[in-house]
Amino acid sequence: MMPVVAMGGAAQVRMPEGQWDWRQMAAVKMSTEYDSEGSVFVNKMSARVLNGLAKLTGSFQREPSGDLRYPLMGVVTKYLSVMYDHEDRNALVTFNADVGRNLSVKYLRDIKAQQGELKLQAHTSNLRYKTEISSDVPATTLPKVVFTFPVGQLRAEEVEKDEERAIALSGFFGGSVLNGQAVASYSDESATLKYTYKDEELTLVPSVSWPRLSPSLAFKRQFGPRNKLSYFHNFETTTWSAVYKYKPTEDFKVKLGYDSDVRLCWSSFWVGKEDEGAKNAPRKCKLQVMLQVPQDDVKSGALLFRMKKRWDLF
């Protein structure tokens, strides 16, 4: 009989030394996510097959009425992936390949719409300089070009403006200034200048945009390893927001906040890391509970929660 070892709340089967482990050829994972705001369950499943050469995926959504909606099925490999939407009777196909050491090709195709996108990306061996050219298939506009370099990025694409075609430019440049980082960006005929100063305890981010001349200030103060206070103020609209965070452990966090723009007080706590999935959460279960109280109508406060549970079956 194979020994069973308890790990992370789940039973793990340990294979005897020298015996072939079939789980290397097929690993199955499942997850269930619930959002009380919409009373919707989202269920996902994935199975790694052939020792990771391919992965089978599937998902569906369970509505409050009990109906199953948005079933998706897919096959993902290193170079080719196919995602099939059963409800829409449509498939999205993605193909990517490396052409030489510094050039890659990616093609996305919407079968039902009979439209696609082709991307070519070239980069230097140290990845400091990259150029990406993308175009619709069949082509409806000129290709979009993105050039990335160590201190910024430039974009050029064709857009329709005042019923005429024109080339729109956007991008950003940045560099070190006075022990901080300054970034100037331009997009949609508006420019923003932002400066960030950060040390172990303090972060200051003043910014101003043109042509509206809208200044703002973001401020963060770390009080030891567990407590942090964040504040943001927009001087043009006089709106502000503040957040206090208490984090006693890596897997537990409490936040209290207020947003004057929507006149809302809120508090929440997380079990599991906020910006990660349930894989590394305690017992592979991630939980968020939030209380929202409008300033103008305290009695209409709402208690919301989200939960995600993962099971590693094999």
Side-chain angles (χ1 to χ4, degrees), residues 190-276:
S190 64
T192 301
L193 179 62
K194 179 184 294 186
Y195 177 76
T196 302
Y197 170 81
K198 183 176 182 179
D199 59 22
E200 294 181 355
E201 297 181 347
L202 178 66
T203 301
L204 283 174
V205 187
S207 65
V208 62
S209 61
W210 288 272
R212 295 184 58 181
L213 292 178
S214 176
S216 64
L217 174 66
F219 166 87
K220 294 182 181 181
R221 179 69 164 86
Q222 186 82 37
F223 299 93
R226 300 180 179 180
N227 301 275
K228 179 187 287 187
L229 177 65
S230 303
Y231 178 81
F232 175 81
H233 191 99
N234 187 308
F235 293 95
E236 181 189 19
T237 61
T238 69
T239 56
W240 61 276
S241 63
V243 178
Y244 167 73
K245 181 175 72 174
Y246 174 66
K247 187 178 179 182
T249 68
E250 287 295 321
D251 294 317
F252 183 76
K253 176 169 54 179
V254 178
K255 284 185 176 183
L256 304 173
Y258 175 77
D259 190 334
S260 70
D261 188 27
V262 293
R263 300 176 65 84
L264 181 71
C265 302
W266 58 272
S267 63
S268 64
F269 73 83
W270 279 263
V271 176
K273 295 183 179 180
E274 179 180 357
D275 55 351
E276 294 185 4

Coordinates of all heavy atoms in Angstrom, one line a residue, residues 190-276:
S190 N -3.0 64.8 -24.3 CA -2.8 65.3 -22.9 C -1.4 64.7 -22.4 O -1.1 63.6 -22.8 CB -3.9 64.9 -22.0 OG -4.0 63.5 -21.8
A191 N -0.8 65.5 -21.6 CA 0.5 65.1 -21.0 C 0.5 65.1 -19.5 O -0.3 65.9 -18.9 CB 1.6 66.1 -21.5
T192 N 1.3 64.2 -18.9 CA 1.3 64.1 -17.5 C 2.8 64.0 -17.1 O 3.6 63.3 -17.7 CB 0.6 62.8 -17.0 OG1 -0.8 62.9 -17.4 CG2 0.7 62.7 -15.5
L193 N 3.1 64.7 -16.0 CA 4.5 64.7 -15.4 C 4.3 64.2 -14.0 O 3.6 64.8 -13.2 CB 5.1 66.1 -15.5 CG 6.5 66.1 -14.8 CD1 7.5 65.2 -15.6 CD2 7.0 67.6 -14.8
K194 N 5.0 63.1 -13.7 CA 4.9 62.4 -12.4 C 6.3 62.2 -11.8 O 7.2 61.8 -12.5 CB 4.1 61.1 -12.5 CG 4.0 60.4 -11.2 CD 3.3 59.0 -11.4 CE 1.9 59.2 -11.9 NZ 1.2 57.8 -12.0
Y195 N 6.4 62.5 -10.5 CA 7.7 62.3 -9.8 C 7.4 61.4 -8.6 O 6.4 61.6 -7.9 CB 8.3 63.6 -9.3 CG 9.5 63.4 -8.5 CD1 10.7 63.1 -9.2 CD2 9.5 63.5 -7.1 CE1 11.9 63.0 -8.4 CE2 10.7 63.4 -6.4 CZ 11.9 63.1 -7.1 OH 13.0 62.9 -6.3
T196 N 8.3 60.4 -8.4 CA 8.1 59.4 -7.4 C 9.3 59.3 -6.5 O 10.4 59.1 -7.0 CB 7.8 58.0 -7.9 OG1 6.6 58.0 -8.7 CG2 7.6 57.0 -6.8
Y197 N 9.2 59.6 -5.2 CA 10.2 59.5 -4.3 C 9.8 58.4 -3.3 O 8.7 58.4 -2.7 CB 10.5 60.7 -3.5 CG 11.4 60.5 -2.3 CD1 12.8 60.5 -2.5 CD2 11.0 60.4 -1.0 CE1 13.7 60.3 -1.5 CE2 11.8 60.1 0.0 CZ 13.2 60.1 -0.2 OH 14.0 59.9 0.9
K198 N 10.7 57.4 -3.0 CA 10.4 56.3 -2.2 C 11.6 55.8 -1.4 O 12.7 55.7 -1.9 CB 9.9 55.1 -3.0 CG 9.4 53.9 -2.2 CD 8.8 52.9 -3.1 CE 8.3 51.7 -2.3 NZ 7.7 50.6 -3.1
D199 N 11.4 55.7 -0.1 CA 12.4 55.0 0.8 C 11.8 54.0 1.6 O 10.6 53.5 1.3 CB 13.2 56.1 1.6 CG 12.2 56.8 2.6 OD1 11.2 56.3 2.9 OD2 12.6 58.0 3.0
E200 N 12.4 53.5 2.7 CA 11.9 52.4 3.4 C 10.6 52.7 4.1 O 9.8 51.9 4.5 CB 12.9 51.9 4.4 CG 14.1 51.3 3.8 CD 15.1 50.8 4.8 OE1 14.9 51.0 6.0 OE2 16.1 50.2 4.4
E201 N 10.3 54.0 4.4 CA 9.2 54.4 5.2 C 8.2 55.3 4.5 O 7.0 55.4 4.8 CB 9.6 55.1 6.5 CG 10.4 54.2 7.4 CD 10.8 54.9 8.7 OE1 10.7 56.2 8.7 OE2 11.2 54.3 9.7
L202 N 8.7 56.1 3.5 CA 7.9 57.1 2.9 C 7.8 57.1 1.4 O 8.9 56.8 0.8 CB 8.4 58.5 3.3 CG 7.7 59.8 2.8 CD1 6.3 59.9 3.3 CD2 8.6 61.0 3.1
T203 N 6.7 57.3 0.8 CA 6.5 57.4 -0.7 C 5.7 58.7 -1.0 O 4.6 58.9 -0.4 CB 5.8 56.2 -1.2 OG1 6.5 55.0 -0.9 CG2 5.6 56.3 -2.7
L204 N 6.3 59.5 -1.9 CA 5.6 60.7 -2.3 C 5.5 60.7 -3.8 O 6.5 60.5 -4.5 CB 6.4 62.0 -1.8 CG 6.3 62.4 -0.4 CD1 7.2 63.6 -0.1 CD2 4.8 62.8 0.0
V205 N 4.3 61.0 -4.3 CA 4.1 61.0 -5.8 C 3.3 62.2 -6.2 O 2.1 62.1 -6.3 CB 3.4 59.7 -6.3 CG1 3.3 59.6 -7.8 CG2 4.0 58.4 -5.7
P206 N 3.9 63.4 -6.4 CA 3.2 64.5 -7.0 C 3.1 64.4 -8.5 O 4.0 63.8 -9.1 CB 4.1 65.7 -6.6 CG 5.5 65.1 -6.4 CD 5.3 63.7 -6.0
S207 N 2.0 64.8 -9.1 CA 1.9 64.8 -10.5 C 1.1 66.0 -11.0 O 0.3 66.5 -10.2 CB 1.2 63.5 -10.9 OG -0.1 63.4 -10.5
V208 N 1.2 66.3 -12.3 CA 0.4 67.4 -12.9 C 0.2 67.0 -14.3 O 1.1 66.4 -15.0 CB 1.1 68.7 -12.7 CG1 2.5 68.7 -13.5 CG2 0.3 69.9 -13.2
S209 N -1.0 67.4 -14.8 CA -1.3 67.0 -16.2 C -1.7 68.3 -17.0 O -2.1 69.3 -16.4 CB -2.5 66.1 -16.3 OG -3.6 66.6 -15.7
W210 N -1.4 68.3 -18.3 CA -1.7 69.4 -19.2 C -2.7 68.8 -20.3 O -2.6 67.6 -20.6 CB -0.5 69.9 -19.9 CG 0.4 70.7 -19.0 CD1 0.4 72.0 -18.7 CD2 1.5 70.2 -18.2 NE1 1.4 72.4 -17.8 CE2 2.1 71.3 -17.5 CE3 2.1 68.9 -18.0 CZ2 3.2 71.1 -16.7 CZ3 3.2 68.8 -17.2 CH2 3.7 69.9 -16.5
P211 N -3.5 69.6 -20.9 CA -3.6 71.1 -20.7 C -4.5 71.6 -19.6 O -4.7 72.8 -19.4 CB -4.2 71.6 -22.1 CG -5.0 70.4 -22.5 CD -4.3 69.2 -22.0
R212 N -5.1 70.6 -18.8 CA -6.1 71.0 -17.8 C -5.4 71.5 -16.5 O -6.0 72.1 -15.7 CB -6.9 69.8 -17.4 CG -7.8 69.3 -18.6 CD -8.7 68.2 -18.1 NE -9.6 68.6 -17.0 CZ -10.4 67.8 -16.4 NH1 -10.5 66.6 -16.8 NH2 -11.2 68.3 -15.3
L213 N -4.1 71.3 -16.4 CA -3.3 71.7 -15.2 C -4.0 71.2 -14.0 O -4.4 71.9 -13.1 CB -3.2 73.2 -15.1 CG -2.3 73.9 -16.2 CD1 -2.3 75.4 -16.0 CD2 -0.9 73.3 -16.1
S214 N -4.1 69.8 -13.9 CA -4.7 69.2 -12.8 C -3.6 68.5 -11.9 O -3.1 67.4 -12.2 CB -5.7 68.1 -13.3 OG -6.2 67.3 -12.3
P215 N -3.3 69.2 -10.8 CA -2.2 68.6 -9.9 C -2.8 67.7 -8.9 O -4.0 67.8 -8.5 CB -1.7 69.9 -9.2 CG -2.8 70.8 -9.2 CD -3.6 70.6 -10.4
S216 N -2.0 66.7 -8.5 CA -2.5 65.7 -7.5 C -1.3 65.3 -6.7 O -0.1 65.5 -7.1 CB -3.2 64.5 -8.1 OG -2.2 63.8 -9.0
L217 N -1.5 64.7 -5.5 CA -0.5 64.2 -4.7 C -0.9 62.9 -4.0 O -2.0 62.8 -3.5 CB -0.2 65.2 -3.5 CG 0.8 64.8 -2.5 CD1 2.2 64.6 -3.1 CD2 0.8 65.8 -1.3
A218 N 0.0 61.9 -4.1 CA -0.2 60.6 -3.5 C 0.9 60.5 -2.4 O 2.0 60.8 -2.6 CB -0.1 59.4 -4.5
F219 N 0.5 60.0 -1.2 CA 1.3 59.9 -0.1 C 1.2 58.6 0.6 O 0.0 58.1 0.8 CB 1.0 61.1 0.9 CG 1.6 60.9 2.3 CD1 2.9 61.4 2.5 CD2 0.9 60.3 3.3 CE1 3.4 61.3 3.8 CE2 1.4 60.2 4.6 CZ 2.7 60.7 4.8
K220 N 2.3 57.9 0.9 CA 2.2 56.6 1.7 C 3.3 56.7 2.8 O 4.4 57.1 2.6 CB 2.5 55.4 0.8 CG 1.4 55.2 -0.3 CD 1.8 54.0 -1.1 CE 0.7 53.7 -2.2 NZ 1.0 52.5 -3.0
R221 N 2.8 56.2 4.0 CA 3.7 56.2 5.1 C 3.7 54.9 5.8 O 2.6 54.4 6.2 CB 3.3 57.3 6.1 CG 4.2 57.4 7.4 CD 5.6 57.8 7.1 NE 6.3 58.2 8.3 CZ 7.0 57.4 9.1 NH1 7.0 56.1 8.8 NH2 7.6 57.9 10.1
Q222 N 4.9 54.2 5.9 CA 5.0 52.9 6.5 C 5.3 53.1 8.0 O 6.3 53.7 8.3 CB 6.0 52.1 5.8 CG 6.1 50.6 6.3 CD 5.1 49.7 5.6 OE1 4.7 49.9 4.5 NE2 4.5 48.8 6.4
F223 N 4.5 52.5 8.9 CA 4.8 52.6 10.3 C 5.1 51.2 10.8 O 4.3 50.4 11.2 CB 3.5 53.1 11.1 CG 3.1 54.5 10.7 CD1 2.1 54.7 9.7 CD2 3.7 55.6 11.3 CE1 1.7 56.0 9.4 CE2 3.3 56.9 11.0 CZ 2.3 57.1 10.0
G224 N 6.4 50.8 10.7 CA 6.8 49.5 11.0 C 6.4 48.5 9.9 O 5.9 48.9 8.9
P225 N 6.6 47.2 10.2 CA 6.4 46.2 9.1 C 4.9 45.9 9.0 O 4.5 45.2 8.0 CB 7.1 45.0 9.6 CG 7.2 45.2 11.1 CD 7.3 46.6 11.4
R226 N 4.0 46.4 9.9 CA 2.6 45.9 9.9 C 1.6 47.0 9.5 O 0.5 46.7 9.1 CB 2.2 45.3 11.2 CG 3.1 44.2 11.7 CD 2.6 43.6 13.0 NE 3.4 42.5 13.4 CZ 3.2 41.9 14.6 NH1 2.3 42.3 15.4 NH2 4.0 40.8 14.9
N227 N 2.0 48.3 9.6 CA 1.0 49.4 9.5 C 1.4 50.3 8.3 O 2.6 50.7 8.2 CB 0.9 50.1 10.8 CG 0.4 49.3 11.9 OD1 -0.8 49.1 12.1 ND2 1.4 48.8 12.7
K228 N 0.4 50.7 7.5 CA 0.7 51.6 6.4 C -0.5 52.5 6.2 O -1.7 52.1 6.3 CB 1.0 50.9 5.1 CG 1.2 51.8 3.9 CD 1.3 51.1 2.6 CE 2.6 50.3 2.5 NZ 2.8 49.7 1.1
L229 N -0.2 53.8 6.0 CA -1.3 54.8 5.7 C -1.1 55.4 4.3 O 0.1 55.8 4.0 CB -1.2 55.9 6.8 CG -2.2 57.1 6.6 CD1 -3.7 56.6 6.7 CD2 -2.0 58.2 7.6
S230 N -2.1 55.4 3.5 CA -2.1 56.0 2.1 C -3.1 57.1 2.0 O -4.2 57.0 2.5 CB -2.3 54.9 1.1 OG -1.5 53.8 1.2
Y231 N -2.7 58.1 1.3 CA -3.6 59.3 1.1 C -3.4 59.8 -0.4 O -2.3 59.8 -0.9 CB -3.2 60.4 2.1 CG -4.1 61.6 1.9 CD1 -5.4 61.7 2.5 CD2 -3.6 62.7 1.3 CE1 -6.1 62.8 2.3 CE2 -4.3 63.9 1.1 CZ -5.6 63.9 1.6 OH -6.4 65.1 1.5
F232 N -4.5 60.2 -1.0 CA -4.5 60.7 -2.3 C -5.4 62.0 -2.4 O -6.5 61.9 -1.9 CB -4.9 59.7 -3.4 CG -5.0 60.3 -4.8 CD1 -3.9 60.4 -5.5 CD2 -6.2 60.7 -5.3 CE1 -3.9 61.0 -6.8 CE2 -6.3 61.3 -6.6 CZ -5.1 61.4 -7.3
H233 N -4.9 63.1 -3.0 CA -5.6 64.3 -3.1 C -5.5 64.9 -4.5 O -4.4 65.0 -5.0 CB -5.1 65.3 -2.1 CG -6.0 66.5 -1.9 ND1 -6.9 66.6 -0.9 CD2 -6.2 67.6 -2.7 CE1 -7.6 67.8 -1.0 NE2 -7.1 68.4 -2.1
N234 N -6.7 65.2 -5.1 CA -6.7 65.8 -6.4 C -7.1 67.3 -6.1 O -8.2 67.6 -5.7 CB -7.8 65.2 -7.3 CG -7.8 65.7 -8.7 OD1 -7.8 66.9 -8.9 ND2 -7.7 64.8 -9.7
F235 N -6.1 68.2 -6.4 CA -6.3 69.6 -6.1 C -7.3 70.3 -7.0 O -7.8 71.3 -6.7 CB -5.0 70.3 -6.1 CG -4.0 69.8 -5.1 CD1 -3.1 68.8 -5.3 CD2 -4.1 70.4 -3.8 CE1 -2.2 68.4 -4.3 CE2 -3.3 70.0 -2.8 CZ -2.3 69.0 -3.0
E236 N -7.5 69.7 -8.2 CA -8.5 70.4 -9.1 C -9.9 70.1 -8.7 O -10.7 71.0 -8.7 CB -8.3 69.8 -10.6 CG -9.2 70.5 -11.6 CD -9.2 69.8 -12.9 OE1 -8.7 68.7 -13.0 OE2 -9.6 70.4 -13.9
T237 N -10.2 68.9 -8.3 CA -11.6 68.5 -7.9 C -11.8 68.5 -6.4 O -12.9 68.4 -6.0 CB -11.9 67.1 -8.5 OG1 -11.0 66.2 -7.9 CG2 -11.8 67.0 -10.0
T238 N -10.7 68.7 -5.7 CA -10.7 68.7 -4.2 C -11.2 67.4 -3.6 O -11.6 67.3 -2.5 CB -11.5 69.9 -3.6 OG1 -12.9 69.7 -3.9 CG2 -11.1 71.2 -4.2
T239 N -11.2 66.3 -4.4 CA -11.5 65.0 -3.9 C -10.3 64.4 -3.3 O -9.2 64.6 -3.7 CB -12.1 64.1 -5.0 OG1 -11.2 64.0 -6.1 CG2 -13.4 64.7 -5.5
W240 N -10.5 63.5 -2.3 CA -9.4 62.8 -1.6 C -9.9 61.4 -1.2 O -11.1 61.1 -1.1 CB -8.9 63.6 -0.5 CG -10.0 63.9 0.6 CD1 -10.9 64.8 0.6 CD2 -10.2 63.1 1.8 NE1 -11.7 64.7 1.7 CE2 -11.3 63.6 2.5 CE3 -9.6 62.0 2.3 CZ2 -11.8 63.1 3.7 CZ3 -10.0 61.4 3.5 CH2 -11.1 62.0 4.2
S241 N -8.9 60.6 -0.9 CA -9.2 59.3 -0.4 C -8.1 58.9 0.6 O -6.9 59.4 0.4 CB -9.3 58.2 -1.5 OG -8.1 58.1 -2.2
A242 N -8.4 58.0 1.5 CA -7.4 57.6 2.5 C -7.6 56.1 2.8 O -8.8 55.7 2.9 CB -7.5 58.4 3.8
V243 N -6.5 55.4 3.0 CA -6.6 54.0 3.3 C -5.6 53.6 4.4 O -4.4 54.0 4.3 CB -6.3 53.1 2.1 CG1 -6.4 51.6 2.5 CG2 -7.3 53.4 1.0
Y244 N -6.0 53.0 5.5 CA -5.1 52.4 6.5 C -5.1 50.9 6.4 O -6.1 50.3 6.2 CB -5.6 52.8 7.9 CG -4.9 52.0 9.0 CD1 -3.6 52.3 9.4 CD2 -5.6 51.0 9.7 CE1 -3.0 51.6 10.3 CE2 -5.0 50.3 10.7 CZ -3.6 50.6 11.0 OH -3.0 49.9 12.0
K245 N -3.9 50.4 6.4 CA -3.7 48.9 6.2 C -2.9 48.3 7.4 O -1.9 48.9 7.8 CB -3.0 48.6 4.9 CG -2.8 47.1 4.7 CD -2.1 46.8 3.3 CE -0.7 47.3 3.3 NZ 0.0 46.9 2.0
Y246 N -3.5 47.3 7.9 CA -2.8 46.5 9.0 C -2.6 45.1 8.5 O -3.5 44.4 8.1 CB -3.7 46.5 10.3 CG -3.1 45.7 11.4 CD1 -1.9 46.0 12.0 CD2 -3.8 44.5 11.8 CE1 -1.4 45.2 13.0 CE2 -3.3 43.7 12.8 CZ -2.1 44.1 13.4 OH -1.6 43.3 14.4
K247 N -1.3 44.7 8.5 CA -1.0 43.4 8.0 C -0.1 42.6 9.0 O 1.1 42.7 8.9 CB -0.2 43.6 6.7 CG 0.1 42.3 5.9 CD 0.8 42.6 4.6 CE 1.2 41.3 3.8 NZ 1.9 41.7 2.6
P248 N -0.7 41.9 9.9 CA 0.1 41.2 10.9 C 0.8 40.0 10.4 O 1.9 39.6 10.9 CB -1.0 40.7 11.9 CG -2.3 40.6 11.1 CD -2.2 41.7 10.1
T249 N 0.3 39.3 9.3 CA 1.0 38.2 8.7 C 0.9 38.3 7.2 O 0.2 39.2 6.7 CB 0.4 36.8 9.1 OG1 -0.9 36.7 8.6 CG2 0.3 36.7 10.7
E250 N 1.6 37.5 6.5 CA 1.6 37.5 5.0 C 0.3 37.1 4.5 O -0.1 37.5 3.4 CB 2.7 36.6 4.5 CG 4.1 37.1 4.6 CD 4.3 38.4 3.8 OE1 3.8 38.5 2.7 OE2 5.0 39.3 4.3
D251 N -0.5 36.3 5.2 CA -1.8 35.8 4.7 C -3.0 36.4 5.3 O -4.1 35.9 5.2 CB -1.8 34.2 4.9 CG -0.8 33.5 4.1 OD1 -0.6 33.8 2.9 OD2 -0.1 32.6 4.7
F252 N -2.8 37.5 6.0 CA -4.0 38.2 6.6 C -3.8 39.7 6.6 O -2.7 40.2 6.9 CB -4.2 37.7 8.1 CG -5.4 38.3 8.7 CD1 -6.7 37.9 8.4 CD2 -5.3 39.4 9.6 CE1 -7.8 38.5 8.9 CE2 -6.4 40.0 10.2 CZ -7.7 39.5 9.8
K253 N -4.8 40.4 6.2 CA -4.7 41.9 6.0 C -6.0 42.5 6.3 O -7.1 42.0 5.9 CB -4.2 42.2 4.6 CG -4.1 43.7 4.3 CD -3.3 43.9 3.0 CE -3.9 43.1 1.9 NZ -3.1 43.4 0.6
V254 N -6.0 43.7 7.0 CA -7.2 44.5 7.2 C -7.0 45.9 6.7 O -5.9 46.5 6.8 CB -7.5 44.6 8.7 CG1 -8.7 45.4 9.0 CG2 -7.7 43.2 9.3
K255 N -8.0 46.4 6.0 CA -8.0 47.8 5.4 C -9.2 48.6 5.9 O -10.3 48.0 6.0 CB -8.0 47.7 3.9 CG -6.6 47.3 3.3 CD -6.7 47.5 1.8 CE -5.3 47.2 1.2 NZ -5.4 47.3 -0.3
L256 N -9.0 49.9 6.2 CA -10.1 50.8 6.4 C -9.9 52.0 5.5 O -8.7 52.5 5.3 CB -10.0 51.3 7.9 CG -10.1 50.2 9.0 CD1 -9.9 50.9 10.3 CD2 -11.4 49.5 8.9
G257 N -11.0 52.5 4.9 CA -10.8 53.5 3.9 C -12.0 54.5 3.8 O -13.1 54.1 4.2
Y258 N -11.7 55.6 3.1 CA -12.8 56.5 2.8 C -12.5 57.2 1.4 O -11.3 57.5 1.1 CB -12.9 57.6 3.8 CG -13.9 58.7 3.5 CD1 -15.3 58.5 3.6 CD2 -13.5 59.9 3.0 CE1 -16.2 59.4 3.2 CE2 -14.4 60.9 2.6 CZ -15.8 60.7 2.8 OH -16.7 61.6 2.4
D259 N -13.5 57.4 0.6 CA -13.4 58.0 -0.7 C -14.4 59.1 -0.8 O -15.6 58.9 -0.8 CB -13.6 57.0 -1.8 CG -13.2 57.5 -3.2 OD1 -13.3 58.7 -3.4 OD2 -12.9 56.7 -4.1
S260 N -13.9 60.4 -0.9 CA -14.8 61.5 -0.9 C -15.5 61.7 -2.2 O -16.5 62.3 -2.3 CB -14.0 62.8 -0.6 OG -13.1 63.2 -1.6
D261 N -14.9 61.1 -3.3 CA -15.5 61.3 -4.6 C -16.9 60.6 -4.7 O -17.9 61.1 -5.3 CB -14.6 60.7 -5.7 CG -15.1 61.0 -7.1 OD1 -15.8 62.0 -7.3 OD2 -14.7 60.2 -8.0
V262 N -17.0 59.4 -4.1 CA -18.3 58.7 -4.0 C -18.9 58.7 -2.6 O -19.9 58.1 -2.4 CB -18.1 57.2 -4.5 CG1 -17.7 57.2 -5.9 CG2 -17.0 56.5 -3.7
R263 N -18.2 59.4 -1.7 CA -18.7 59.6 -0.3 C -19.0 58.3 0.3 O -20.2 58.0 0.7 CB -20.0 60.5 -0.3 CG -19.7 61.9 -0.8 CD -21.0 62.7 -0.9 NE -21.5 63.0 0.4 CZ -21.1 64.0 1.2 NH1 -20.1 64.8 0.9 NH2 -21.7 64.1 2.4
L264 N -18.0 57.4 0.4 CA -18.2 56.0 0.8 C -17.1 55.7 1.8 O -15.9 55.9 1.6 CB -18.1 55.1 -0.4 CG -18.3 53.6 -0.1 CD1 -19.7 53.3 0.3 CD2 -17.8 52.8 -1.3
C265 N -17.5 55.1 3.0 CA -16.6 54.5 3.9 C -16.6 53.0 3.7 O -17.7 52.4 3.4 CB -17.1 54.9 5.4 SG -17.2 56.6 5.8
W266 N -15.5 52.4 3.9 CA -15.4 51.0 3.7 C -14.4 50.3 4.6 O -13.4 51.0 5.1 CB -15.2 50.6 2.3 CG -13.9 51.2 1.7 CD1 -13.7 52.4 1.1 CD2 -12.6 50.5 1.7 NE1 -12.4 52.6 0.8 CE2 -11.7 51.5 1.1 CE3 -12.1 49.3 2.2 CZ2 -10.3 51.2 1.0 CZ3 -10.8 49.0 2.1 CH2 -9.9 50.0 1.5
S267 N -14.5 49.1 4.9 CA -13.5 48.3 5.6 C -13.5 46.9 5.0 O -14.5 46.4 4.5 CB -13.8 48.2 7.1 OG -15.1 47.6 7.3
S268 N -12.4 46.2 5.1 CA -12.3 44.9 4.5 C -11.2 44.1 5.1 O -10.2 44.7 5.7 CB -12.1 44.9 3.0 OG -10.9 45.6 2.7
F269 N -11.2 42.8 5.0 CA -10.1 42.0 5.4 C -9.9 40.9 4.4 O -10.9 40.4 3.8 CB -10.2 41.4 6.9 CG -11.2 40.4 7.0 CD1 -10.9 39.0 6.8 CD2 -12.5 40.7 7.5 CE1 -11.9 38.0 6.9 CE2 -13.5 39.6 7.7 CZ -13.1 38.3 7.4
W270 N -8.7 40.4 4.2 CA -8.3 39.4 3.3 C -7.6 38.2 4.0 O -6.8 38.4 4.9 CB -7.3 39.9 2.3 CG -7.9 40.6 1.1 CD1 -8.2 40.2 -0.1 CD2 -8.2 42.0 1.1 NE1 -8.7 41.2 -0.9 CE2 -8.7 42.4 -0.2 CE3 -8.1 43.1 2.1 CZ2 -9.0 43.6 -0.5 CZ3 -8.5 44.3 1.7 CH2 -9.0 44.6 0.4
V271 N -8.0 37.0 3.7 CA -7.3 35.8 4.1 C -6.7 35.3 2.8 O -7.4 34.9 1.8 CB -8.2 34.8 4.7 CG1 -7.4 33.5 5.0 CG2 -8.8 35.3 6.0
G272 N -5.4 35.3 2.7 CA -4.7 35.0 1.5 C -4.2 36.3 0.9 O -4.8 37.4 1.1
K273 N -3.2 36.3 0.0 CA -2.6 37.5 -0.5 C -3.6 38.1 -1.5 O -4.2 37.4 -2.3 CB -1.3 37.2 -1.2 CG -0.2 36.8 -0.2 CD 1.1 36.6 -0.9 CE 2.2 36.2 0.2 NZ 3.5 36.0 -0.5
E274 N -3.8 39.4 -1.4 CA -4.8 40.2 -2.2 C -4.6 40.0 -3.7 O -5.5 39.9 -4.5 CB -4.8 41.6 -1.8 CG -5.8 42.5 -2.5 CD -5.7 43.9 -2.1 OE1 -4.9 44.3 -1.2 OE2 -6.5 44.8 -2.7
D275 N -3.3 40.1 -4.1 CA -3.0 40.1 -5.6 C -2.6 38.8 -6.1 O -2.0 38.7 -7.2 CB -1.9 41.2 -5.9 CG -0.7 40.9 -5.0 OD1 -0.7 40.1 -4.1 OD2 0.3 41.6 -5.3
E276 N -2.9 37.7 -5.4 CA -2.5 36.4 -5.9 C -3.8 35.5 -5.8 O -4.8 35.8 -5.2 CB -1.4 35.7 -5.0 CG -0.1 36.5 -5.2 CD 1.0 35.8 -4.4 OE1 0.8 34.7 -3.9 OE2 2.2 36.3 -4.4

